[in-house]
Amino acid sequence: MTQTFQNQPVIAIAHLSHHFGSGDLRKQVLYDIHLTIQAGEIVIMTGPSGSGKTTLLTLMGALRSVQGGSLKFLGLELCGATNRQQVDVRRHIGYIFQAHNLHGSLTARQNVRMGLELHPQYSIAEMHDRAAHALDAVGLGDRIDYYPANLSGGQRQRVAIARALVSQPKLLLADEPTAALDRQSGRDVVTLMQRLAKEQGCTILLVTHDNRILDVADRIVEMEDGRLIRADAQTSAATGGIVDPHP
Amino acid sequence: MLKTLRRRTWLGWLQLSHEPSRLLVALAGIAFADVLMFMQLGFQASLFDSNTRIARSFNADVILVSPKAKNTQNLSTFSRRRIYQALDVPGVRNGIPLYSSILTWKNPQTRQDTLIQLVGFDPDDRAFALPDLNVQQDGLKLPDHVMFDRRSRGQYGEVLAAVDSGQIVTTEAEGRTLTITGLFSLGASFGTDGMLMASDQTFLQIFPRRNVGSISLGLLQLEPGADSDAIAAQLRTLLPNDVKVLTQAEFIAAEQNYWQRESPIGFIFTMGTAMAFIVGVVIVYQVLSTDVNAHLQEYATFKAMGYRHVYLLGVIFEEAVILAVLGFLPGFVLPIGLYHLAANATALPIAMTVHRAVVVFGLTLVMCLMSGAIATRRLQAADPADMF
């Protein structure tokens, strides 16, 4: 997985389908999804509630097992991946959730440090410094020893961004990161994500309802009833039916 | 491995210390369970201890006892001739016959009938290693004169004061008038509230149906340097099996074994300790499962970040160990004071021992780890796929 090729897509999805439940209650939630995301792209996924956006996101993040079709993260097939492989993949993906999900008993710096502890190449001192730098980069250099309870909603979401990006992941998955924020903080958070991801060469997939932030995207894809119904024509890679030619 | 551990954020400790009030409640609960365990085990040990006190005070190397004997209050009898036979064995220097029986006497202070253990022996022999008894035991040569255990359980305060001030205190037993000529110090036990010492002659007059030739115990004293185990083995082959030969250590062990196995003491206090243990498990489980529930969302996030399930198990067990250690500290200090109170109130020897502290600490650790193990079942709910 570490052998990243320049032109290899970060995410390559083909014929992906997914079901919930079993027996009579079995219900299909994703139908024959095709989607390719190139390195460095910022993709926004929109669509009404229940259209399967979050399910697709959790599949890409290796939080769920792929049932049918093919889903490749940096060339690694996740369909049939073991639990251990899934966990390994997660370590190369940053997540930002609707709720910040910071640990209330940890300071901002300790929270960010949790994102580094998984990567044994960092020494204790390095983790300490990098966590502080990451918080500096999101404009919280003067709040590094604050507990989440003493930070505003926007500040907490910025800590969450620092935590997601501190280990320099290849992919950042964000599920409605602005939903709990007011207009200005939401805007700031998205701009920050965009800037940092560009600096690190990180790919972003952002699920949102918030059409005030659509302009940060290189490409917008839309889902409805478990199908991808629009893949923005800015790039041609995702116009449907195109399977990754370099498995 | 060590490096991973050093890099690790001490999440369990940070979680616990972030909510001091919850931590204090948890520690109070564990300390409570520890105090209960210490008291139960302490009483149990003191009862065993007090019941072997008579056995330990015998001035003997090898002890002859009837095979029908159950404990030092219930000794049965055997023939005095066995002592004379034992004296034939080289290395046996002296043999002292001892008579023992439970006596109903009138408490000299309250004039109520009370049970007490009467022991008779020849006042010329040093049957007991009790200095305050030995210096006064010549006084037992007078008929119907007895010595009384000043640490007996019951209302004897005025009697002790009177005897100490040199007054003559008399009382009645079996239709005879007994005179208390002095006091010695041994201590009450579970089997008897106190002891009276008398000469063998006085004993036989109080119990006229007891034959001088049927004794309760034979205390054998050996030549200096003699091997009591070897001589006991030799006596076993020599003497018929109407008498049991025990070294003093074996006699003490047999006494303790009786109270442990055949009396309800062992069961009652083991049960009490088990109850305290279960109370502790429930308290710690409450604290840990509340803590897991409160952090379910954060744990799911950690899993989404790529932390494995075992990492979160580690957090819970870290909390369990911290609780065990911190809760044990007050749970260890408090019983020291309570032991002191209990010793004064019950006339039983009860004190903190290193061994018991280690045992209770081990139990506390097991208690917390068990609760932790149960609490980890809640962790299954921390599934990032269901959470987002």
Side-chain angles (χ1 to χ4, degrees):
Chain A
M1 190 167 59
T2 43
Q3 44 179 189
T4 317
F5 304 108
Q6 274 308 308
N7 55 354
Q8 187 177 38
V10 175
I11 290 281
I13 299 173
H15 299 294
L16 182 73
S17 59
H18 198 80
H19 298 78
F20 281 149
S22 58
D24 289 345
L25 295 172
R26 187 169 155 93
K27 184 176 181 300
Q28 187 159 9
V29 288
L30 293 179
Y31 298 86
D32 198 35
I33 306 278
H34 293 268
L35 178 66
T36 305
I37 300 175
Q38 300 296 339
E41 262 193 306
I42 297 183
V43 178
I44 285 186
M45 197 192 306
T46 61
S49 312
S51 60
K53 305 186 299 289
T54 299
T55 307
L56 183 55
L57 196 78
T58 52
L59 285 169
M60 287 191 227
L63 301 185
R64 241 179 241 292
S65 300
V66 177
Q67 295 171 347
S70 161
L71 195 163
K72 287 180 183 162
F73 171 72
L74 294 173
L76 182 87
E77 179 58 74
L78 288 182
C79 186
T82 63
N83 190 277
R84 198 173 184 85
Q85 284 171 318
Q86 286 188 357
V87 172
D88 283 335
V89 165
R90 291 177 199 171
R91 297 183 177 184
H92 295 270
I93 297 175
Y95 292 88
I96 294 167
F97 308 99
Q98 178 173 344
H100 56 85
N101 289 334
L102 297 179
H103 197 301
S105 311
L106 302 181
T107 63
R109 190 210 294 258
Q110 287 166 333
N111 264 295
V112 175
R113 195 179 174 282
M114 289 302 291
L116 287 170
E117 205 179 295
L118 285 164
H119 300 273
Q121 68 265 34
Y122 302 114
S123 69
I124 298 172
E126 253 180 307
M127 290 198 290
H128 201 69
D129 292 344
R130 275 177 183 266
H133 282 142
L135 284 166
D136 225 10
V138 297
L140 292 173
D142 55 341
R143 297 272 194 282
I144 54 174
D145 290 323
Y146 279 50
Y147 284 98
N150 302 327
L151 296 172
S152 72
Q155 287 170 333
R156 287 178 209 166
Q157 201 58 296
R158 272 144 67 193
V159 177
I161 292 174
R163 179 177 64 181
L165 291 175
V166 70
S167 60
Q168 311 218 303
K170 299 290 177 290
L171 177 64
L172 182 69
L173 298 175
D175 192 2
E176 309 260 9
T178 60
L181 302 179
D182 63 61
R183 183 191 157 82
Q184 188 54 44
S185 328
R187 184 76 226 175
D188 291 347
V189 160
V190 172
T191 319
L192 185 67
M193 261 165 60
Q194 183 191 24
R195 177 170 63 79
L196 292 174
K198 285 282 177 208
E199 281 171 18
Q200 296 186 6
C202 174
T203 311
I204 298 183
L205 179 71
L206 202 158
V207 167
T208 186
H209 275 113
D210 187 352
N211 42 29
R212 295 170 306 199
I213 60 172
L214 297 182
D215 59 293
V216 300
D218 296 328
R219 181 153 65 104
I220 296 169
V221 297
E222 201 174 331
M223 278 194 84
E224 201 175 288
D225 296 336
R227 292 180 173 85
L228 271 186
I229 56 166
R230 182 178 77 131
D232 198 337
Q234 281 177 14
T235 53
S236 57
T239 42
I242 296 178
V243 185
D244 179 17
H246 311 286
Chain B
M1 180 68 192
L2 199 69
K3 186 165 166 274
T4 324
L5 218 57
R6 280 190 55 213
R7 279 165 48 83
R8 187 175 174 278
T9 300
W10 292 104
L11 203 53
W13 167 244
L14 292 169
Q15 265 172 226
L16 287 174
S17 59
H18 194 67
E19 292 190 56
S21 55
R22 192 192 286 174
L23 177 62
L24 277 182
V25 171
L27 295 185
I30 295 162
F32 175 72
D34 279 354
V35 168
L36 281 180
M37 287 196 272
F38 267 120
M39 293 319 286
Q40 298 288 335
L41 292 172
F43 279 125
Q44 185 178 38
S46 87
L47 290 174
F48 291 146
D49 201 38
S50 66
N51 280 302
T52 56
R53 207 151 35 180
I54 303 170
R56 276 181 284 130
S57 68
F58 287 143
N59 187 20
D61 301 303
V62 175
I63 296 169
L64 302 183
V65 60
S66 161
K68 285 186 280 179
K70 287 206 170 290
N71 58 63
T72 36
Q73 279 76 50
N74 190 354
L75 282 167
S76 190
T77 57
F78 62 95
S79 169
R80 187 170 57 173
R81 258 180 299 165
R82 302 292 168 248
I83 289 186
Y84 301 138
Q85 286 173 291
L87 286 172
D88 284 346
V89 173
V92 179
R93 182 167 54 85
N94 191 17
I96 305 167
L98 207 73
Y99 303 86
S100 168
S101 185
I102 300 294
L103 171 72
T104 308
W105 78 326
K106 280 201 196 309
N107 177 333
Q109 185 170 327
T110 61
R111 297 283 153 191
Q112 297 287 314
D113 279 349
T114 313
L115 291 177
I116 197 152
Q117 186 175 4
L118 178 68
V119 172
F121 60 97
D122 184 345
D124 286 331
D125 283 324
R126 289 283 162 96
F128 289 89
L130 295 170
D132 45 358
L133 174 71
N134 296 343
V135 296
Q136 300 175 74
Q137 68 186 35
D138 274 350
L140 297 178
K141 289 177 178 170
L142 294 170
D144 291 335
H145 277 54
V146 294
M147 283 179 69
F148 179 59
D149 181 0
R150 65 165 70 243
R151 288 166 66 197
S152 296
R153 196 185 299 122
Q155 292 183 316
Y156 292 110
E158 293 169 21
V159 182
L160 302 181
V163 176
D164 278 336
S165 65
Q167 294 175 46
I168 293 170
V169 178
T170 59
T171 184
E172 270 175 56
E174 303 285 334
R176 303 183 75 88
T177 302
L178 301 182
T179 305
I180 299 178
T181 164
L183 300 171
F184 64 96
S185 182
L186 186 64
S189 76
F190 202 70
T192 177
D193 285 339
M195 292 267 281
L196 277 182
M197 299 283 187
S199 70
D200 45 357
Q201 297 306 316
T202 304
F203 182 94
L204 292 167
Q205 273 166 0
I206 293 172
F207 294 105
R209 272 171 298 176
R210 278 288 285 268
N211 188 323
V212 66
S214 67
I215 63 172
S216 305
L217 282 177
L219 306 182
L220 301 183
Q221 295 164 344
L222 306 185
E223 301 287 355
D227 178 0
S228 51
D229 284 318
I231 288 177
Q234 206 178 340
L235 285 169
R236 268 175 215 128
T237 57
L238 179 77
L239 297 175
N241 58 7
D242 61 355
V243 69
K244 219 158 58 170
V245 182
L246 299 170
T247 63
Q248 193 180 18
E250 286 166 349
F251 186 80
I252 293 168
E255 176 78 10
Q256 171 143 350
N257 195 42
Y258 168 81
W259 292 105
Q260 218 152 12
R261 297 273 162 77
E262 292 187 42
S263 80
I265 306 179
F267 180 76
I268 289 170
F269 288 101
T270 307
M271 178 101 139
T273 309
M275 296 302 286
F277 181 86
I278 290 167
V279 167
V281 169
V282 171
I283 293 174
V284 181
Y285 169 71
Q286 278 300 325
V287 173
L288 288 179
S289 72
T290 311
D291 191 70
V292 171
N293 273 342
H295 294 106
L296 224 43
Q297 187 109 0
E298 284 102 320
Y299 289 159
T301 307
F302 287 149
K303 279 194 175 178
M305 285 162 66
Y307 284 94
R308 291 184 203 285
H309 195 69
V310 285
Y311 184 90
L312 300 179
L313 293 182
V315 172
I316 293 177
F317 284 114
E318 178 194 339
E319 290 188 308
V321 171
I322 290 170
L323 289 176
V325 172
L326 292 186
F328 179 75
L329 295 178
F332 169 76
V333 174
L334 279 173
I336 296 177
L338 289 173
Y339 280 161
H340 196 69
L341 277 178
N344 288 341
T346 61
L348 289 170
I350 179 166
M352 181 64 76
T353 63
V354 175
H355 176 255
R356 195 178 312 135
V358 170
V359 166
V360 172
F361 180 68
L363 285 174
T364 312
L365 210 56
V366 172
M367 173 175 99
C368 290
L369 290 177
M370 268 178 66
S371 311
I374 308 171
T376 55
R377 294 192 317 170
R378 295 283 319 146
L379 263 188
Q380 299 297 341
D383 182 358
D386 293 337
M387 205 127 245
F388 310 115

